[in-house]
Amino acid sequence: MRRNDREITEGPVIDQVIRSCDCCRLGFPEGGGSYIVPLNFGFTMEEGRRVLYFHGAKEGKKIRLIRELPHVGFEMDTNHKVNEAETACGYSFRFRSIIGQGHVCLVENLDEKRKALQIIMEHYSSKRDWQFPEAAVEQTAVIKLVVTELACKEHL
Ligand SMILES: Cc1cc2nc3c(=O)[nH]c(=O)nc-3n(C[C@H](O)[C@H](O)[C@H](O)COP(=O)(O)OP(=O)(O)OC[C@H]3O[C@@H](n4cnc5c(N)ncnc54)[C@H](O)[C@@H]3O)c2cc1C
């Protein structure tokens, strides 16, 4: 990171940044370009690794790309605020953000899917004991992203 004075390296603070984000963008290579898709998510630790869960329809472009490519990039950001100033060059933008990479797969086991859906719901509702109808769990795709590397940056 060029501005390493802005890098956040403390694990618990990075986790706090992840928990305060409400959207994670997955980036897939596609042809000569890339496909970036914004998604809601849930966050947990499994065997000492950061894991992000996503859910959605069982078909569509991201599902096709996940089946083709088990590696993705991701980005999320939070704490947005415009820092106003008298001059254009004095203006700045406050943020905390994460950019990383990871291995991605579809979760097929129904109990694992339920657990992942609880983690996603907890991210947005702060409650974890939701009930999911069996049919809904079956019809929903759950995506698991195991983070392999990330960087966290803050601009005040
Ligand atoms: C803040 C936010 C949170 C979201 N959370 C979820 C979530 O938790 N789960 C979920 O399934 N979806 C969520 N969505 C919608 C998501 O971004 C996708 O639209 C959706 O998942 C379908 O993706 P797909 O790859 O299957 O696209 P497809 O339906 O297969 O469509 C493919 C094409 O449609 C266009 N497209 C797809 N998505 C978008 C988009 N968001 N904006 C503009 N063009 C698009 C692109 O051109 C793409 O090539 C969220 C969107 C936003 C903005």
Side-chain angles (χ1 to χ4, degrees):
M1 193 180 293
R2 183 181 60 85
R3 291 295 305 264
N4 58 11
D5 56 312
R6 293 179 177 167
E7 184 167 9
I8 295 176
T9 53
E10 301 90 349
V13 184
I14 292 172
D15 295 346
Q16 204 182 21
V17 172
I18 295 173
R19 289 187 199 289
S20 70
C21 291
D22 58 12
C23 173
C24 177
R25 295 163 196 89
L26 297 186
F28 301 86
E30 191 200 24
S34 52
Y35 179 58
I36 298 170
V37 62
L39 296 169
N40 298 119
F41 72 100
F43 166 58
T44 190
M45 296 296 289
E46 289 181 14
E47 296 169 0
R49 306 205 92 159
R50 293 186 176 93
V51 172
L52 305 177
Y53 284 106
F54 308 86
H55 81 301
K58 278 185 152 178
E59 291 175 2
K61 192 166 177 174
K62 67 179 176 302
I63 299 294
R64 178 173 56 76
L65 290 170
I66 288 167
R67 291 190 199 282
E68 288 172 12
L69 302 157
H71 199 77
V72 291
F74 68 93
E75 188 276 347
M76 57 179 85
D77 49 82
T78 184
N79 282 55
H80 304 153
K81 186 177 175 291
V82 175
N83 294 321
E84 295 180 358
E86 292 300 317
T87 62
C89 293
Y91 261 71
S92 67
F93 194 74
R94 183 175 179 148
F95 66 84
R96 286 176 139 190
S97 59
I98 307 256
I99 295 180
Q101 298 195 39
H103 297 298
V104 76
C105 67
L106 294 169
V107 177
E108 304 293 354
N109 177 281
L110 291 186
D111 288 336
E112 280 182 50
K113 283 173 88 172
R114 255 184 229 99
K115 195 184 95 187
L117 293 169
Q118 295 287 8
I119 290 166
I120 296 168
M121 286 303 298
E122 186 185 21
H123 194 87
Y124 296 93
S125 69
S126 305
K127 191 181 125 178
R128 204 166 167 165
D129 54 345
W130 294 91
Q131 298 298 312
F132 304 103
E134 186 87 1
V137 178
E138 278 174 12
Q139 284 159 22
T140 301
V142 171
I143 301 162
K144 177 177 183 176
L145 191 167
V146 179
V147 176
T148 52
E149 60 177 83
L150 63 70
C152 184
K153 185 172 177 179
E154 176 176 56
H155 183 220
L156 296 174

